[in-house]
Amino acid sequence: MFRTQSETAIPARPAAAAPESTEFGAVDAADSATGPAPLDLSALNRYDEAVGSAAPPFDPLRLCVFTTVALIACLLGPIAVLGFALIAIAGYARARRQGLLRSKCKLGDTRLVLAYLSVLAVLAAVATPFWVMFWIGRF
């Protein structure tokens, strides 16, 4: 249960061998007396395949994109909605022609997504004249 003094003592540090040479050249006895030999740190900061790659840090680019889209929609109103809807309709129609049947969109089926975007485009087209009249002051 209790350790004796010899068991708890820190082992003596082994005597350093005389350095023969380093990557910086030969070391003679006079150099080793003035200080320690320089450390070889060339093996540090290398990729270790056993460890693998670290996960990349989170990039909040989507949040910046969403904020920019919201700003455009706020400034341009239904004109922006119409523009984005038409771009999205063109993209989904092309993807559907190339064979995409299921989208990552919550609606899933690309036909439903196209119908949703078409309804938004029609509503934005109908709302645009009213929005323009509102800003001109005739409404």
Side-chain angles (χ1 to χ4, degrees):
M1 187 182 294
F2 294 109
R3 294 185 180 174
T4 63
Q5 187 176 9
S6 63
E7 290 176 336
T8 59
I10 299 173
R13 186 174 177 184
E20 296 175 6
S21 67
T22 65
E23 67 181 74
F24 300 109
V27 177
D28 59 15
D31 287 341
S32 64
T34 59
L39 295 174
D40 179 20
L41 302 176
S42 62
L44 295 178
N45 202 18
R46 290 192 180 173
Y47 179 74
D48 186 2
E49 292 181 16
V51 175
S53 298
F58 172 71
D59 184 6
L61 175 65
R62 282 189 192 174
L63 301 176
C64 182
V65 170
F66 294 156
T67 304
T68 304
V69 169
L71 174 66
I72 292 169
C74 181
L75 294 175
L76 298 179
I79 296 171
V81 175
L82 178 62
F84 287 126
L86 292 175
I87 291 170
I89 288 170
Y92 269 100
R94 181 178 178 195
R96 183 153 176 86
R97 280 192 305 271
Q98 292 177 353
L100 181 69
L101 299 178
R102 300 284 305 166
S103 172
K104 291 181 183 178
C105 178
K106 292 291 183 188
L107 296 174
D109 189 355
T110 52
R111 292 174 296 188
L112 290 174
V113 175
L114 284 167
Y116 165 73
L117 293 170
S118 299
V119 168
L120 284 181
V122 168
L123 290 176
V126 169
T128 299
F130 295 108
W131 184 80
V132 170
M133 287 189 297
F134 173 78
W135 282 107
I136 291 175
R138 295 185 180 227
F139 192 60

